[in-house]
Amino acid sequence: MNATMAGSALRRITISKIEEFLLFLPPLSEQRAIAAYLDEKTSEIDAMKAELTAQIEDLKTLRTSLITEAVTGQVDVRDWKTKY
């Protein structure tokens, strides 16, 4: 496609050149199967994303609670050491 483009400052291609391209498409049944597969995988990714977002919010809430408890003396953190 790049080889058929013309112009130096503003590269462009004409409709007549586009009409000359060969376009290979899988059969409609295969296109539908691909679309269904992608829909399924996208749904799985969306579900994982929602679950991770909920876990992050839970961890933020837990962190805030832990800080509050440490500051108010409800938990003793004087001897706490980091693992790292």
Side-chain angles (χ1 to χ4, degrees):
M1 199 178 230
N2 278 336
T4 61
M5 295 178 81
S8 57
L10 180 61
R11 294 184 47 86
R12 61 199 177 279
I13 189 167
T14 62
I15 297 289
S16 61
K17 290 288 186 187
I18 292 174
E19 290 174 343
E20 293 174 10
F21 291 130
L22 293 176
L23 183 62
F24 299 99
L25 292 175
L28 188 57
S29 61
E30 189 174 345
Q31 291 179 43
R32 286 186 175 135
I34 292 168
Y37 174 81
L38 292 175
D39 287 343
E40 178 186 337
K41 293 302 177 185
T42 301
S43 294
E44 290 175 15
I45 291 169
D46 290 344
M48 284 188 273
K49 182 180 173 184
E51 184 179 335
L52 287 172
T53 300
Q55 289 178 0
I56 289 169
E57 290 305 315
D58 290 345
L59 287 171
K60 286 179 181 178
T61 301
L62 182 60
R63 178 179 181 262
T64 301
S65 297
L66 184 59
I67 290 171
T68 300
E69 290 175 7
V71 169
T72 60
Q74 295 172 347
V75 288
D76 187 6
V77 293
R78 289 177 289 190
D79 295 329
W80 183 82
K81 293 194 183 344
T82 182
K83 293 181 182 180
Y84 307 103

